[in-house]
Amino acid sequence: MGRLIIELLASHGKSVERRYIFEKGHAAIGRSYKNDVILDDPFLSPEHLFISVSDGSVQVTDLKSENGTKINGRAAIKDQTEKAASGDQITIGRTKLKIILPGQPVAPALSVDRFTTFLQSLGRWRVVIVFTLFAFGLDAWFSYLESPGDRFWDKKFTGLLYAYIGGACLYVGVVGGIIYAKTRKAYYKSHLAVFNAGMILTLAYSIFKPFIFFWFFNNGLALALGAVASFAIMLAMFWASVRVSSDSMQRKDIAKLAFIALIFTVMTTWSAPGQGQFSSKPSYPAMMAPWFQPLTQPLPVDAFLDESRGKLFSQDD
């Protein structure tokens, strides 16, 4: 007899929901309360499966179950015994199990760098509250500078608050729901902090967007650049949310994130097709940055030279 470890896998993905350890080297699995592992799966028989370890060899025995037992996706066996190895996946009903022996290799430990520490800190309420107040306050401040006074409080503040709450609930609900389906943990607080960080990036991008697009004299090119910037911000948000719940990412995970971000970008660009188009005089609230006047109201080269020449000669006099 040897030590036997059985992992209960999540219904979606390969994350481990629960781990059972049997020092005696064998375990009975089913819905009956007589079993060592009792599973609430209606497609399991009361006494469904028996797994045992002897001299490093694993034996999987189906106990005349109704729906049989699959090993690594192969054809189901009924009332039979088959050999298995450490790391093999067992499917019974709608339940996925994984057999592990003590000698099973595991990945080396990850180093705790500053970025990992930062991601871990996102789940703290203090960080979430600070990020929320800062992001919404920054958004409200810029909106107030565009429409100061009673006009902001009467017409814009309420809509701004509802839009922020709706966007936060949508992002946290969708991303948290997807991750919960795979890991059985939602990480809602961390996703809210990521959403707020994305809001801050979006505000910074919206501030400098008029001056960036000013140099592009093609409406299509300006719109394409705006879509690329939105895609990059959204992809960064999704990536950070996934990194909060997973320590490692594969290429296929990044591809899925890019596809989802692309869908959201297309939807937002389609709903607001006029965003990012070229304007000969980019609009910018004068109260926010009067020092940007050379960019918002540029002078022709001749006029600039005449003005410079006049200032130069006036200084010489």
Side-chain angles (χ1 to χ4, degrees):
M1 290 294 180
R3 194 183 194 201
L4 173 64
I5 303 169
I6 298 177
E7 294 180 342
L8 175 62
L9 304 180
S11 55
H12 300 283
K14 298 181 179 180
S15 59
V16 179
E17 286 190 355
R18 191 174 302 173
R19 185 174 287 110
Y20 304 91
I21 301 176
F22 301 95
E23 299 293 345
K24 55 186 179 182
H26 60 80
I29 303 171
R31 288 190 296 110
S32 171
Y33 297 115
K34 299 177 182 179
N35 293 289
D36 300 302
V37 179
I38 304 170
L39 300 174
D40 186 16
D41 185 341
F43 297 93
L44 264 63
S45 298
E47 287 80 29
H48 194 110
L49 182 66
F50 185 80
I51 302 176
S52 61
V53 179
S54 179
D55 298 330
S57 177
V58 182
Q59 303 288 332
V60 177
T61 304
D62 183 86
L63 303 175
K64 299 182 180 179
S65 65
E66 179 67 24
N67 296 307
T69 300
K70 294 182 180 180
I71 302 176
N72 292 332
R74 298 194 296 267
I77 61 173
K78 289 187 177 182
D79 194 19
Q80 298 178 29
T81 299
E82 281 200 9
K83 290 185 178 181
S86 179
D88 286 353
Q89 181 173 301
I90 309 296
T91 304
I92 49 176
R94 292 183 177 177
T95 302
K96 297 179 181 179
L97 304 172
K98 191 174 183 180
I99 301 172
I100 302 294
L101 297 183
Q104 175 77 12
V106 296
L110 298 174
S111 59
V112 181
D113 52 13
R114 292 183 179 180
F115 184 72
T116 303
T117 304
F118 170 73
L119 290 178
Q120 292 174 348
S121 68
L122 292 181
R124 301 175 183 175
W125 273 117
R126 182 182 303 175
V127 176
V128 174
I129 293 173
V130 170
F131 263 43
T132 301
L133 294 177
F134 181 75
F136 179 73
L138 196 64
D139 191 14
W141 181 54
F142 285 132
S143 182
Y144 177 81
L145 291 175
E146 292 178 355
S147 302
D150 295 337
R151 182 182 176 186
F152 169 76
W153 298 107
D154 294 340
K155 296 183 178 181
K156 285 198 170 184
F157 179 77
T158 303
L160 196 69
L161 180 61
Y162 289 160
Y164 172 82
I165 295 176
C169 292
L170 178 63
Y171 179 84
V172 173
V174 172
V175 176
I178 293 174
I179 292 179
Y180 180 81
K182 293 185 176 182
T183 64
R184 289 294 182 263
K185 293 182 180 180
Y187 301 93
Y188 289 128
K189 293 183 292 183
S190 299
H191 299 323
L192 181 57
V194 171
F195 172 79
N196 291 322
M199 283 284 296
I200 296 172
L201 287 177
T202 303
L203 287 172
Y205 160 70
S206 64
I207 292 172
F208 294 101
K209 181 174 69 174
F211 311 111
I212 298 173
F213 290 153
F214 175 79
W215 304 104
F216 296 94
F217 300 93
N218 184 283
N219 290 345
L221 181 58
L223 183 60
L225 289 174
V228 170
S230 300
F231 171 78
I233 293 175
M234 204 164 299
L235 180 61
M237 292 172 62
F238 288 149
W239 176 80
S241 291
V242 172
R243 279 295 304 269
V244 168
S245 57
S246 176
D247 294 328
S248 61
M249 294 182 63
Q250 301 177 357
R251 291 183 179 179
K252 62 180 181 179
D253 298 325
I254 299 176
K256 291 179 181 178
L257 293 178
F259 180 71
I260 298 174
L262 180 61
I263 293 177
F264 273 86
T265 303
V266 171
M267 292 174 59
T268 54
T269 305
W270 184 271
S271 62
Q275 290 185 356
Q277 291 186 357
F278 168 75
S279 173
S280 59
K281 291 185 179 181
S283 60
Y284 203 82
M287 294 177 61
M288 294 174 64
W291 53 86
F292 278 124
Q293 185 175 356
L295 288 175
T296 58
Q297 299 177 1
L299 294 174
V301 175
D302 294 338
F304 174 76
L305 293 176
D306 291 340
E307 183 178 341
S308 301
R309 187 181 301 110
K311 291 181 179 180
L312 180 62
F313 289 139
S314 63
Q315 290 178 358
D316 291 342
D317 296 339

